[in-house]
Amino acid sequence: MKKVKIYVTLRESILDPQGSAVQGSLAKMGYGEVEELRIGKYLELTISDSARDIDTLVKEMCEKVLTNVVIEDYRYEVGEAN
């Protein structure tokens, strides 16, 4: 079995109002050092062994279901499941 960690973020050109709101809250709480904050998603998948290529499988899932490829970028890491 494989453990896949997927990190999804808004593309650099897309405004992140949620990140801006949290950054503003941090500034009001005394954390003015934070210059920029962007919010994303983290997903963890456990995938059973298969004859299918793991990279192809993960890319297909990300591009068809797990992300909005118009406004989001993703990266992933594949490791052994415990």
Side-chain angles (χ1 to χ4, degrees):
M1 288 196 313
K2 302 288 184 191
K3 175 80 72 169
V4 180
K5 297 177 181 181
I6 303 170
Y7 304 88
V8 182
T9 55
L10 288 172
R11 291 187 178 211
E12 201 61 37
S13 61
I14 302 296
L15 294 176
D16 183 358
Q18 185 179 14
S20 296
V22 173
Q23 179 186 356
S25 294
L26 289 173
K28 289 177 185 174
M29 295 173 67
Y31 301 104
E33 299 87 353
V34 178
E35 292 185 16
E36 184 179 2
L37 188 145
R38 295 182 64 82
I39 303 235
K41 297 183 281 190
Y42 171 74
L43 301 95
E44 239 182 45
L45 309 175
T46 302
I47 301 177
S48 60
D49 293 329
S50 168
R52 298 172 71 182
D53 178 65
I54 188 80
D55 288 312
T56 302
L57 188 64
V58 172
K59 287 177 185 176
E60 285 178 5
M61 288 188 288
C62 284
E63 292 175 10
K64 290 181 179 179
V65 179
L66 302 176
T67 69
N68 179 342
V69 294
V70 175
I71 62 169
E72 294 175 322
D73 289 323
Y74 69 90
R75 66 179 175 84
Y76 63 92
E77 301 168 357
V78 177
E80 295 298 322
N82 294 333

